[in-house]
Amino acid sequence: MFNRRQWLFSTGMLFGASRLSGAAQNTDQAGGGSESKSGKSAPLPLTEYEPKSMLHVHETHVAKCQFPCIDIHTHISFSKKAENGVQLAPEREYLGTPQECLAVMERKNIRAMVNLTGGFDAGLADAVSKYDKAFPSRFFTFAEPSYPRFKEQNYPQIQADAIAGAHRDGARGLKILKTLGLYLRENITSGTLVKIDDRRFDPMWDACAQVNIPVAIHISDPIAFFTPTDRFNERYEELNNHPDWSFHGHDFPSNAELIEARNRVFSRHPKTQFLVLHVGNFAEDLGNVSENLDRFPNMTVDIAARIGELGRQPRTARRFFEKYQDRILFGTDATLHGDEFPQQVFNDKLYEIYYRFLETGDEYFDYAPAKVPPQGRWKIYGVELPEPVLKKVYYENAVRLLHLT
Ligand SMILES: [Zn+2]
């Protein structure tokens, strides 16, 4: 008679299980997964593990969003020159043509795309003329601060004036990348880090209120990026693939310090509208995001690149959507030809996943078009938002924030 262990072994099940548990503990070993001379299997490296779900659950294909959407968070252009995380050139590098964007927009029912990284000065004017002016109401471009001028004595005023100029050039908002707080330093690319609530930026925040444009602000990152890249880190693979995304150690502030500095800016500039990207930069803790939304009436959030977080806490997320339905905007972080980052690659599949997450009650599906979930090894569940909430999230809230008609 076989006992249970022998039976499992004969069917290969135990054999497979021991390979996998070994793999989980030996993630940094190269090769493996094959029989050695002794007949003992080497561990399967985590990088080669692609489990296929055996679950039979309902699958909905949502080809188009139920209501036309505005993607408030995309990247069509970048600075031609950057150093140590600081964009230095006004000239833009375009990741794709308007026609490429329009083809996807047509198929996926996207009314408009907001290009957050429009840069400054002549580069910004160029981006606005190539996209916004050439295809009115389909593209909106945001400006960015001129960090190369940061060392100039009169920078606070220069930057405030630049906002007025950007507005005249057609910018629909200001984008703050995590450059502020995590990359910009006293000597621009070297020296001590400049804090988010540095007083030299006060005139810039006020200038945005004066010309009535929102500030889309990205500070901080997933909380796992601030903890050691070790076997306890839930985003180990992602950080292992992109070691420069870790802000653990060195002279980096903690996630809490970044959020506190950001909040001081919000309270000092109540007339400025802040769209806090990536679910208020703390999608893992919707309690924290809710507290801040309650505290700051000038704060809204987008959901870009965070359906992986929202979708693994679908009940909490749904309550969050219902409570803050007037202050959550649809965004994806879509980057043209961003194939290296499947969670934000601009293509049909990405949008279909977002629509499925928002509109259906489907269970246990991928949050990104990738063989292995790129942000962490988990799957997501749809939040099945009611129509009035969907309308607000897809476009009504964006129409209000961008003053569209
Ligand atoms: Zn982004």
Side-chain angles (χ1 to χ4, degrees):
M1 280 287 283
F2 275 5
N3 65 25
R4 184 175 153 76
R5 187 176 169 82
Q6 285 167 329
W7 179 80
L8 287 171
F9 193 83
S10 72
T11 60
M13 288 176 74
L14 195 65
F15 173 72
S18 70
R19 276 166 58 123
L20 296 182
S21 65
Q25 287 162 17
N26 292 286
T27 46
D28 53 356
Q29 284 189 9
S34 57
E35 297 269 327
S36 70
K37 272 184 195 156
S38 65
K40 202 170 168 243
S41 171
L44 175 73
L46 187 57
T47 47
E48 286 176 22
Y49 184 47
E50 293 172 26
K52 303 276 176 265
S53 171
M54 297 289 117
L55 200 62
H56 284 256
V57 281
H58 189 71
E59 276 182 45
T60 317
H61 179 228
V62 189
K64 288 187 176 209
C65 40
Q66 199 180 336
F67 305 103
C69 69
I70 295 175
D71 190 340
I72 196 79
H73 188 157
T74 74
H75 298 286
I76 300 176
S77 60
F78 277 106
S79 170
K80 271 209 167 142
K81 190 178 163 218
E83 212 178 291
N84 295 345
V86 185
Q87 302 201 17
L88 296 174
E91 292 80 27
R92 301 282 89 192
E93 190 166 313
Y94 295 96
L95 302 175
T97 62
Q99 286 74 17
E100 274 179 81
C101 298
L102 288 162
V104 175
M105 292 162 81
E106 212 51 53
R107 289 197 295 272
K108 297 295 121 190
N109 201 18
I110 303 163
R111 178 179 149 186
M113 279 174 78
V114 177
N115 176 20
L116 292 181
T117 33
F120 51 90
D121 296 347
L124 170 72
D126 188 58
V128 169
S129 78
K130 281 197 170 79
Y131 286 81
D132 306 28
K133 290 185 179 158
F135 302 92
S137 80
R138 305 309 303 275
F139 297 100
F140 300 106
T141 300
F142 274 38
E144 293 173 276
S146 320
Y147 294 125
R149 302 190 69 177
F150 182 64
K151 291 268 286 171
E152 291 179 36
Q153 216 193 351
N154 201 21
Y155 178 75
Q157 193 55 46
I158 291 172
Q159 188 51 61
D161 294 344
I163 296 299
H167 180 246
R168 279 195 300 276
D169 284 340
R172 305 302 290 244
L174 173 71
K175 166 74 191 283
I176 303 294
L177 291 165
K178 63 191 173 202
T179 309
L180 186 58
L182 287 167
Y183 292 110
L184 181 71
R185 292 173 181 273
E186 277 306 326
N187 302 312
I188 302 175
T189 57
S190 65
T192 51
L193 282 166
V194 176
K195 294 198 166 36
I196 296 164
D197 59 335
D198 191 292
R199 291 279 181 185
R200 285 168 283 186
F201 291 101
D202 278 347
M204 174 180 80
W205 309 123
D206 288 337
C208 291
Q210 274 153 25
V211 297
N212 204 13
I213 57 171
V215 177
I217 183 165
H218 172 177
I219 59 108
S220 189
D221 256 335
I223 188 78
F225 290 9
F226 293 84
T227 62
T229 307
D230 61 15
R231 66 197 183 118
F232 300 113
N233 194 310
E234 66 173 355
R235 298 172 85 126
Y236 173 83
E237 282 174 295
E238 185 181 28
L239 286 165
N240 206 31
N241 292 334
H242 307 281
D244 54 317
W245 290 4
S246 173
F247 295 112
H248 175 67
H250 305 284
D251 60 346
F252 294 121
S254 67
N255 182 56
E257 285 168 333
L258 290 166
I259 288 181
E260 281 161 22
R262 177 202 76 184
N263 287 352
R264 285 193 289 274
V265 172
F266 294 176
S267 46
R268 284 212 303 259
H269 304 278
K271 289 184 183 152
T272 308
Q273 285 297 322
F274 292 94
L275 169 66
V276 192
L277 306 171
H278 308 300
V279 196
N281 270 126
F282 211 171
E284 299 92 332
D285 187 349
L286 294 181
N288 174 285
V289 184
S290 303
E291 271 172 37
N292 287 320
L293 281 164
D294 291 342
R295 204 174 139 199
F296 302 111
N298 55 337
M299 171 179 169
T300 48
V301 300
D302 83 0
I303 61 168
R306 292 295 180 275
I307 57 169
E309 300 303 328
L310 297 172
R312 63 173 166 153
Q313 45 178 329
R315 287 180 284 275
T316 307
R318 162 125 184 179
R319 285 194 294 273
F320 179 76
F321 274 107
E322 281 176 346
K323 182 159 185 206
Y324 299 102
Q325 54 187 271
D326 297 309
R327 298 168 71 187
I328 304 172
L329 281 72
F330 176 79
T332 60
D333 212 1
T335 305
L336 274 86
H337 302 287
D339 306 76
E340 223 187 306
F341 318 110
Q343 68 273 20
Q344 59 183 98
V345 60
F346 177 75
N347 63 25
D348 290 39
K349 276 192 184 153
L350 183 82
Y351 285 99
E352 286 167 13
I353 293 171
Y354 271 78
Y355 303 160
R356 188 179 180 195
F357 165 67
L358 292 169
E359 296 184 24
T360 80
D362 281 6
E363 298 175 300
Y364 202 68
F365 56 94
D366 286 323
Y367 58 78
K371 276 201 288 190
V372 172
Q375 296 172 296
R377 283 186 181 251
W378 54 80
K379 300 208 182 214
I380 63 166
Y381 305 80
V383 285
E384 212 174 359
L385 296 179
E387 284 185 13
V389 179
L390 273 180
K391 265 189 208 169
K392 290 176 178 182
V393 170
Y394 272 142
Y395 71 95
E396 286 178 356
N397 296 340
V399 163
R400 205 167 50 247
L401 190 75
L402 298 174
H403 316 293
L404 308 176
T405 45

